[in-house]
Every structure is written in C-alpha cells, then in structure tokens.
Amino acid sequence: MLDTTKDRNPMPEELDALVIGTGVSGLYELHQLRQMGLKVHACDAASDVGGTWYWNRYPGAKFDSEAYIYQYLFDEQLYKKWTWSERFPGQREIERWMHYITDSLDLRRDITFSTTITSATWDETSGLWTVETDQGDSVRVRYLVCCTGMLSAPLTDRFPGQSSFDGQIVHTARYPKEGLDLQGRKVAVIGTGATGIQVIQTIAPEVDQLTVFVRTPQYVLPMKNPKYGPAEVAWYKGRFDELKSTIPHTFTGFEYDFEQAWADLTPDQRHQVLEDTHADGSLKLWLASFGEMFFDEEVSEEISEFVREKMRARLKDPRLIDILVPGPDDYGFGTHRVPLESQYLETYLRDNVEAVSVRDNPIAEIVPEGVKLQDGTVYEVDVIIMAVGFDAGSGALSRIDITGTDGMTLAEEWRKDIRTTLGMMKYGFPNLFMTGAPLAPSAALCNMTTCLQQQTEWITRCIRDLRDSGNDVIEPTQSGEDAWVAHHDETANATLISKTESWYNGANVAGKPRRVLSYTGGVGTYRTLCNEMAEKGYPSFVMRKTAIPATA
Ligand code: NAP
C-alpha cells in the first residue's frame, strides 16, 4: 500500500472533476466519474480513505445502522465479497471495509492524501474553478464535487482555557490514531450525544475515575449486536436483490419503514408495536414504529413516556434519573438523533463513574487541573474527551474559502441563511456539487450510504446530461432555489424536529442561522423529486456553454 505521508500522489494541474473527500460518497463519486471517462482526481485532508470512519476513531465508535444495509448496492459482487462479523461492527472493521472498497475499485492511484483544500475560486470566463491546497497545489477544474461530509467539522474549540489544561484534551473526531492510555486515569467526558454515549460505555471499565458532564438528557435505545456466523452472513447476502429494491425507497433509507398508523390500532396494539420495535435492539422504534411521533404532540408524548419508563427502570436511582432521563417538558423522543447503546445506563451504576449535571451550573472554563463549573467547582482530571459535536451540514464547506460568481463566498452566504437547491448545488456557485450538505436527507433520519449513493448517482447523471446537451456549466436559478427552500421549510416546519434544539437545526452553534438541516420529506420522496428534476430537463437550473473547451 502507498505510504501517503512519504509518497504523496501529485495533484494534477488540470482536471475535468475534482472530488473533495474520500469517505462513503467521495469514493463512489470518484469511481463513477472515472467510469464516465472524465479526468478525475480526489483529495483528502486525511492520510487515508474513510471520511467519518477515518476521523472518528474514539473508543467504542461503531455503526448504528445494520452493517449489511450500510453498504454500496451498485455492485452485487462488491457487496457479497465482504463479510461482516456482527450486526453493528466497530470503527476498525468499518475502516477495513472502506479500504476493501477502495482497493477493489483501484481508486488509490487517483487520490492525493494529507492535502487540505484551502480555497476554490470560480472564473466565469473559462467556466473553471481554481482550487488551491495547503500543500501549494493549484488545480484548474471544471466540476468540483464536494463530498466533505455532514458531520466533519468538529467543534474543537468549545471552552475558554482549553490550551491551559495540564493533561490531554481531545475532541472525539480528532482522537489520536495511536489511541490514548486511559488505564487507571481520571477522565472527563463532555457530551452525551451518540458519540459520548459510545465513549462512556466503552472506557468506564478501564479508567480509574470517569466524570461525565451531562447537559441535556438524551433518549437512548438498547442495541442488540449478535456476532455473525456463516448462517447470518448467508442470510443477509441472500437478500441482496431484496435490499437493493427496497432500501432506496423507504422513508429513512433503512430496510424497515413506518408500516402502521397510530389511529388504526388500539392502545394495546400500539404498546405491542413499541415493545416489539424496542426489543429489536436497533433504531426500529424510532424509524419504523409510528411516523406520527414526528408530527403529533400526543403521540410523541406517549412514545416518549414509553422510552423514559424503559430508561427509568434500568437506572432506578432518582438522582441519576433526574440527570439522564428527559422530562416531559424537555423534547419528544426522536426529534433529534436517537443513539443506540450497550449497557450505557448501567455504566452510571459503577462506583468509578459520576454523572454531573451542567444544565443549571454550566462548564465555565477548562483550567490547568480540569473542568471548572460556573459555581467554581473544579473537577480534577488527567484527560478530557470532548464529545461535543460538529458544525453540521454547512460547517465543512464554510471552512474552505469558496468564491462563486460576483465575488460571493459560500461561507458568507451561509452565515446569512443556509440555502441550497436539492441539497446538492447552490445558487451563485456554478458546477459546484455537494453531498451530505444542508437541505437534503443526509445524516438525520437517514442511513447515510443510501442517501450518499443516491446523491452521487444524481450528480454523475447531471454532469453526463450537461455534457450530452453540449453545455459545460450548470447552476441553479434563484427561483429554483427559492422553490426548494420553500418546500424544504414547509416540510420541516410541520415536524416537531423544527421545535427541538439540536444540531438538526443549527442550535448547537452560536450565531448559526436556524433551519432544519436535513430534508424531512423522506429518502424515497427525495429520490423521486431529484429524478423528476433530471427527467424534466433540470427546470430549476440553467445550463450554458463556455468559450474555452474542457481539458479532456
Ligand atoms: P451531538 O449529538 O451534537 O452531541 C454533543 C453533546 O455535547 C451533547 O450532549 C451536548 O449537549 C454536549 N455539549 C455541547 N456543548 C456543550 C457544553 N458547552 N457544555 C456541556 N455539554 C455540551 O454530537 P455527537 O454525539 O458527536 O453526534 C453528532 C452526530 O454524529 C450524531 O447525532 C449522529 O448523527 C452522528 N454519530 C453517528 C454515530 C453512528 O452512527 N454510529 C456515532 C456517533 C455520532 P446539549 O445536547 O445540551 O447541547
């Protein structure tokens, strides 16, 4: 394998297409555009492929989607030649799988690693982007495909005084490759989202003392994670055709869907559905029980209380229940991301684990000894693990200096208002395509590989249709973008998701414009809308031809 730190693949100076990022979508986009015959190259700030699965190597990182559906479904042999060891595998296995995909498709020769894109500037006359990197490269490229990730801009600078800390402080999305020695040490974890939960339940047995700082209590669902033997592997591989024909069309891109209406069932029948989906040990209770939980406050409260009762029964201790279980006035179950967990709640019953509520007594600063709260209490620790989340959706691209037509920059536009067309292009930024970006279903309520395959396939088709039409520049119209934003908002604002504070609507970043980031009309519906846009000749876009021919 190429040692990317020593032998960096050179970045070509002229390209038809540059793919930024080599996670799930970047790898597949590179493959597709290469198959189309374009001169295409990819680059990544990381020293290897994997995207989110490269960066998030914190203890306990693992899938919350079943491995056999978190898959590429475009190639049956590619799917069947890889064998998963369990239902919800961990980061190391996932990273190996991404290497398997990369090497099977022979993608490495067209990837430059350890290279961060610093700027991209559109030139209207040539219809080309000039892209610059932190390694001094300058690339002129027709199509810029940004596969930079929905959750890839970590909020690393969260607290005053972080640099004064005498011990080690690390954000989970920048966890060192070589790991941290936590054995016998005093460790603080800040944050109890999907990430914090995985960290906490994993490291508790190994550390001397674990202090968890909990702000907003979090609904959780227990994971059942059986190991896979030959029978289970044969079972899921035998379902390839079935999975390929169903997954892309469900509401959330999982194999299951909302099948029953709350109003059609008796209270006993509803309770049974909740019990059954809870017992499944997956996200089924959230994504395949009753869709009404996202719209109807009464249904939401009944389902929330069902989950709260399950949590209370495990915690028993009133103080822990108060800190860790959401109350009826907090927010409804499923209106922000529901994490799966393995004995997470029981972790707090251990003698070496303490939950500290920072809801009314927030973290004021990090001091040399540890974490200081507003009331002056200092928790002395050796290591601080910050599981405090991301600037989601718009964060990754806003950190690149992207200048479109008339000098407008993407970061500035999104500082004012986070808008896109179909979540894949932005008015004023011709030939700039995005996956996992705002106003598409990616990340929230979505099995990521389902969404990202659909988006990259649509982008590939769009570029092909553009070229087939004799044009080389495409850009959304202002009115086309207005229409998508209006449809997105109408759909989102009908849900309880829009009323809950979380990264889903930008509430976790001070000053970020509020808008539900993910499209909530359903993965299957979104696919249909995108396909219709192409079939009708891209009515929300304009296509044109530049005087200067493409490089190829
Ligand atoms: P997150 O959901 O945004 O959670 C951040 C946590 O940090 C929250 O508990 C938040 O509390 C807390 N926090 C932030 N600032 C704080 C402060 N100043 N003081 C105290 N607490 C603070 O981030 P995440 O857990 O990294 O997860 C992000 C997303 O990544 C997930 O929703 C999920 O989509 C994805 N993810 C997926 C997987 C998987 O599929 N296996 C695993 C991990 C993550 P508040 O709620 O009070 O703000």
Side-chain angles (χ1 to χ4, degrees):
M1 189 190 296
L2 190 70
D3 178 346
T4 50
T5 50
K6 292 201 199 91
D7 306 311
R8 180 177 168 271
N9 261 351
M11 287 278 279
E13 290 177 4
E14 302 220 321
L15 285 168
D16 291 324
L18 177 68
V19 177
I20 309 177
T22 58
V24 168
S25 60
L27 291 176
Y28 186 33
E29 189 64 77
L30 173 60
H31 173 66
Q32 289 176 71
L33 294 177
R34 193 201 261 174
Q35 296 282 95
M36 223 174 96
L38 295 198
K39 187 175 175 194
V40 56
H41 196 83
C43 68
D44 203 306
S47 65
D48 214 322
V49 298
T52 209
W53 299 110
Y54 171 94
W55 293 106
N56 289 276
R57 50 182 71 248
Y58 58 82
K62 57 167 50 230
F63 277 153
D64 272 354
S65 297
E66 291 80 352
Y68 62 84
I69 67 154
Y70 193 99
Q71 283 280 318
Y72 294 105
L73 294 172
F74 67 91
D75 183 326
E76 185 169 353
Q77 287 314 308
L78 196 67
Y79 181 90
K80 289 189 170 170
K81 280 186 183 158
W82 180 264
T83 296
W84 293 104
S85 69
E86 55 187 343
R87 189 185 190 193
F88 298 106
Q91 180 268 339
R92 292 225 169 115
E93 186 169 343
I94 302 164
E95 198 180 26
R96 282 201 300 276
W97 166 68
M98 298 210 66
H99 286 211
Y100 154 77
I101 297 292
T102 307
D103 295 331
S104 300
L105 300 175
D106 187 23
L107 297 176
R108 276 181 200 283
R109 63 185 159 87
D110 286 326
I111 304 175
T112 299
F113 293 109
S114 306
T115 301
T116 300
I117 304 295
T118 51
S119 70
T121 308
W122 174 251
D123 174 41
E124 185 62 34
T125 311
S126 61
L128 296 173
W129 286 95
T130 299
V131 176
E132 305 210 314
T133 78
D134 65 346
Q135 302 296 312
D137 310 288
S138 181
V139 185
R140 278 160 63 82
V141 56
R142 181 72 77 199
Y143 311 110
L144 191 55
V145 189
C146 304
C147 299
T148 40
M150 180 82 175
L151 292 157
S152 54
L155 298 169
T156 46
D157 298 320
R158 205 55 168 156
F159 304 100
Q162 278 178 214
S163 59
S164 74
F165 183 51
D166 279 343
Q168 287 165 295
I169 184 165
V170 60
H171 189 288
T172 45
R174 292 293 177 268
Y175 208 83
K177 257 185 175 171
E178 62 284 6
L180 288 177
D181 182 10
L182 303 177
Q183 194 93 37
R185 303 182 81 189
K186 292 188 182 358
V187 179
V189 174
I190 306 175
T192 52
T195 303
I197 283 170
Q198 292 182 336
V199 173
I200 292 158
Q201 66 194 17
T202 305
I203 66 172
E206 117 187 50
V207 303
D208 173 44
Q209 174 67 35
L210 175 60
T211 309
V212 180
F213 295 91
V214 186
R215 193 163 62 180
T216 308
Q218 173 83 32
Y219 291 97
V220 294
L221 291 177
M223 170 188 280
K224 283 187 182 157
N225 189 19
K227 297 283 176 208
Y228 280 174
E232 291 80 9
V233 170
W235 166 76
Y236 80 71
K237 289 187 180 177
R239 295 178 62 211
F240 177 79
D241 289 337
E242 176 203 339
L243 294 171
K244 188 179 163 82
S245 64
T246 52
I247 287 174
H249 308 287
T250 62
F251 191 78
T252 55
F254 280 71
E255 66 187 305
Y256 34 74
D257 217 340
F258 298 107
E259 275 162 16
Q260 55 273 309
W262 181 264
D264 293 346
L265 303 189
T266 65
D268 281 352
Q269 288 171 325
R270 292 170 191 158
H271 190 80
Q272 197 55 51
V273 170
L274 297 180
E275 285 290 356
D276 291 347
T277 49
H278 188 267
D280 192 64
S282 65
L283 292 174
K284 218 171 177 181
L285 190 142
W286 182 32
L287 305 177
S289 64
F290 297 101
E292 293 88 340
M293 84 174 77
F294 298 111
F295 306 97
D296 183 322
E297 298 216 10
E298 280 182 27
V299 177
S300 166
E301 174 50 22
E302 277 201 45
I303 296 176
S304 300
E305 179 52 24
F306 173 88
V307 178
R308 293 195 292 257
E309 184 48 35
K310 292 278 184 204
M311 293 175 66
R312 287 193 291 259
R314 287 168 60 191
L315 280 169
K316 298 181 188 81
D317 176 345
R319 183 184 164 271
L320 287 177
I321 290 171
D322 190 46
I323 296 176
L324 295 166
V325 182
D329 297 329
D330 279 332
Y331 61 99
F333 171 79
T335 59
H336 71 69
R337 171 65 147 76
V338 179
L340 293 181
E341 48 80 27
S342 305
Q343 297 291 300
Y344 164 69
L345 296 174
E346 288 74 11
T347 300
Y348 291 95
L349 305 176
R350 297 175 60 96
D351 288 342
N352 69 333
V353 177
E354 183 185 7
V356 175
S357 176
V358 292
R359 208 176 203 185
D360 302 320
N361 184 19
I363 297 172
E365 60 177 320
I366 305 299
V367 291
E369 307 80 34
V371 179
K372 184 174 179 183
L373 306 190
Q374 197 176 58
D375 71 357
T377 312
V378 174
Y379 289 84
E380 293 187 12
V381 291
D382 307 313
V383 179
I384 300 173
I385 300 178
M386 301 209 306
V388 291
F390 301 84
D391 183 355
S394 56
L397 284 173
S398 296
R399 291 179 184 189
I400 303 173
D401 183 12
I402 299 177
T403 307
T405 49
D406 300 327
M408 70 165 87
T409 71
L410 191 58
E412 186 51 33
E413 290 302 303
W414 279 353
R415 242 193 305 278
K416 290 186 275 187
D417 195 6
I418 299 176
R419 297 160 58 89
T420 65
T421 304
L422 288 176
M424 287 188 280
M425 294 195 81
K426 169 87 190 83
Y427 169 70
F429 297 83
N431 287 5
L432 183 138
F433 299 88
M434 317 173 240
T435 62
L439 281 64
S442 337
L445 299 166
C446 167
N447 176 37
M448 281 305 282
T449 40
T450 310
C451 294
L452 296 176
Q453 279 175 96
Q454 179 267 335
Q455 288 199 312
T456 55
E457 285 167 4
W458 189 90
I459 290 168
T460 305
R461 174 186 181 170
C462 178
I463 293 173
R464 184 186 298 112
D465 289 346
L466 175 71
R467 291 161 65 92
D468 286 352
S469 73
N471 292 299
D472 49 23
V473 176
I474 182 167
E475 147 175 44
T477 61
Q478 177 83 70
S479 60
E481 190 147 295
D482 289 347
W484 179 250
V485 173
H487 169 65
H488 170 92
D489 285 354
E490 190 185 357
T491 313
N493 293 339
T495 70
L496 300 173
I497 292 170
S498 64
K499 297 170 182 61
T500 299
E501 305 264 288
S502 82
W503 68 258
Y504 272 18
N505 55 11
N508 67 329
V509 177
K512 187 166 174 170
R514 291 293 177 94
R515 169 165 279 129
V516 173
L517 290 169
S518 285
Y519 176 67
T520 52
V523 171
T525 304
Y526 173 75
R527 169 182 294 267
T528 303
L529 293 173
C530 291
N531 287 346
E532 282 174 6
M533 181 67 71
E535 278 146 23
K536 289 178 182 163
Y538 301 90
S540 293
F541 297 80
V542 284
M543 296 187 185
R544 59 180 180 270
K545 181 154 182 57
T546 50
I548 299 175
T551 54

